[in-house]
Amino acid sequence: MNSQFWEYIIDYDLWINLGIALGILLVFLLLRKLFTKYVFYFILKLTNKSGSDLLDFVVKSYERPVRSLFVIIGIYIAVDYVPFIDQQGDLFESLIRSSVILMITWGLFNLASNSSLLLMKVSDKVNLEIDQILIPFISKAVRFIVVAISFSIIAQEFGYEVSGFVAGLGLGGLAFALAAQEVIRNLFGGVVIITEKPFTMGDWVETPSVEGVVEDITFRSTRIRTFSESLVTIPNSTLSNEPITNWSEMGKRRIFFNLGVEYSTPKDKLESVVERIRELLEKHEDIHQETIFVRFDKYNDSSLDIMLYFFTKTTQWEEYLIIKEDINFKILDILEEEEVSIAYPSRKLYFDAEEEAMKRSSSSFNDDE
């Protein structure tokens, strides 16, 4: 046995073949590097000059899979010189074919991740309106389908019957359905959100659960970035059953408050203040002129209340606050010019003079005794 081992070790043909196999592998590694450095960038320049975004996406998506394909081809050719592995064996051929399938799947998977850009280009060319919230959902669905098909093909390469596997799932379908109830509810909740379109990507929404900007929607949940920069993930089944306020759909933004002035304000002064404030709002370039109400509204406990109800043209939060501040300062100027004071909560006590005098005289009589 020892003699056979040493004969095998000093077999020069074996070492020559291993050297050839290693050399072939190194050659393909070199070709891979040359492809990345020269051929790929040359193809990329051609696609950029052609102006075709689709070709550009395809080339970029398949860059790394094609580089890996050089290694697979090099291994396949090199194995012919290795005595330990049968190049024509079923197992080796299945591994090679599966590797090629994986490379194709890898490229399609990368291409599907850019499908949002592709869909936008397609919608622009054919005048098809595709909601932004639908695009990532379609992208994830395409990637899932690509992986599922690839898995089934590779399983068949190794002799596994996918149809039998599916039939096996059918036997346990009831148990599977019971376990996947929540997943199914979330999936249908996502479909409801997409079809009804209560919001889209980047919208500012408010629900009983959260308020913030929509970042992403998946099969299971929707991610919303709050204004404190935290990321909240809400199941689609929950979100689809909640009232949703989409603040991004506002065409104008409301300002409503009551301005209370003192009860001692003369009637003519009160009328002048109301008229001047109304005139201020009607002439303000940032106030929406469709709805402006400035009225002496009610007698409050400690003030005469003037109701102000109007809208700004902008819906941006910061611009809205700037306009509101400007209106408040100008109202203060009007009140100062009209010599009208803002009321504050107060209470006055009144005493009967005769009753007070009787109390004092009764107190002094008791002291004399």
Side-chain angles (χ1 to χ4, degrees), residues 11-274:
D11 187 351
Y12 295 107
D13 292 336
L14 170 66
W15 288 106
I16 291 172
N17 288 333
L18 289 177
I20 294 173
L22 182 60
I24 291 172
L25 188 58
L26 291 176
V27 167
F28 274 90
L29 289 175
L30 179 62
L31 290 175
R32 174 193 180 192
K33 188 173 182 180
L34 293 174
F35 168 80
T36 304
K37 190 173 182 180
Y38 298 105
V39 179
F40 173 76
Y41 286 106
F42 176 73
I43 296 173
L44 194 60
K45 286 182 179 179
L46 290 178
T47 56
N48 289 333
K49 290 181 180 179
S50 67
S52 174
D53 293 331
L54 179 60
L55 286 176
D56 188 52
F57 291 146
V58 171
V59 171
K60 289 181 179 178
S61 298
Y62 275 93
E63 176 196 0
R64 296 179 68 182
V66 170
R67 288 169 56 189
S68 301
L69 192 61
F70 277 95
V71 179
I72 296 172
I73 296 173
I75 292 174
Y76 179 76
I77 297 175
V79 162
D80 191 35
Y81 294 89
V82 178
F84 313 114
I85 304 175
D86 183 9
Q87 189 188 43
Q88 305 301 323
D90 293 337
L91 178 60
F92 181 75
E93 288 186 351
S94 296
L95 287 173
I96 292 297
R97 284 196 294 266
S98 298
S99 300
V100 174
I101 293 169
L102 283 176
M103 295 305 103
I104 296 173
T105 303
W106 188 1
L108 292 174
F109 190 86
N110 293 337
L111 191 60
S113 65
N114 291 326
S115 62
S116 58
L117 297 175
L118 292 176
L119 286 173
M120 291 300 294
K121 294 295 182 182
V122 170
S123 64
D124 291 340
K125 290 182 178 180
V126 300
N127 295 323
L128 178 66
E129 292 186 3
I130 301 178
D131 196 85
Q132 288 185 0
I133 203 169
L134 184 61
I135 292 172
F137 198 86
I138 293 176
S139 176
K140 291 179 177 64
V142 171
R143 294 169 79 176
F144 175 79
I145 293 170
V146 167
V147 172
I149 293 174
S150 174
F151 173 78
S152 64
I153 294 174
I154 291 175
Q156 290 179 359
E157 279 292 332
F158 288 94
Y160 292 100
E161 288 295 333
V162 179
S163 58
F165 176 73
V166 174
L169 287 180
L171 296 175
L174 179 61
F176 179 79
L178 292 174
Q181 280 184 357
E182 188 63 29
V183 176
I184 295 172
R185 278 199 295 266
N186 289 326
L187 177 61
F188 279 101
V191 172
V192 169
I193 291 172
I194 289 173
T195 54
E196 292 188 355
K197 299 180 182 179
F199 53 79
T200 187
M201 304 293 292
D203 279 358
W204 167 24
V205 298
E206 181 180 2
T207 73
S209 303
V210 67
E211 179 180 5
V213 178
V214 179
E215 282 200 352
D216 191 20
I217 180 171
T218 64
F219 293 106
R220 177 191 172 276
S221 61
T222 298
R223 288 195 286 270
I224 297 176
R225 179 77 62 179
T226 66
F227 296 113
S228 59
E229 291 301 321
S230 61
L231 187 63
V232 180
T233 302
I234 305 177
N236 289 332
S237 59
T238 302
L239 191 61
S240 62
N241 290 319
E242 289 185 337
I244 300 172
T245 303
N246 191 337
W247 294 111
S248 296
E249 293 297 321
M250 289 186 299
K252 52 188 178 180
R253 197 179 186 94
R254 189 186 73 167
I255 298 178
F256 169 68
F257 64 93
N258 287 308
L259 176 64
V261 299
E262 292 182 346
Y263 262 96
S264 59
T265 304
K267 177 186 174 183
D268 59 336
K269 293 283 188 181
L270 184 60
E271 290 177 343
S272 178
V273 167
V274 171

Side-chain angles (χ1 to χ4, degrees), residues 204 206 211 227 245-256 286-289 291 309-324:
W204 167 24
E206 181 180 2
E211 179 180 5
F227 296 113
T245 303
N246 191 337
W247 294 111
S248 296
E249 293 297 321
M250 289 186 299
K252 52 188 178 180
R253 197 179 186 94
R254 189 186 73 167
I255 298 178
F256 169 68
D286 295 317
I287 300 302
H288 203 286
Q289 298 300 309
T291 306
Y309 185 93
F310 56 99
F311 294 84
T312 61
K313 293 179 180 178
T314 181
T315 59
Q316 295 296 323
W317 178 247
E318 185 177 1
E319 295 176 3
Y320 164 82
L321 292 178
I322 292 174
I323 295 170
K324 188 176 180 181

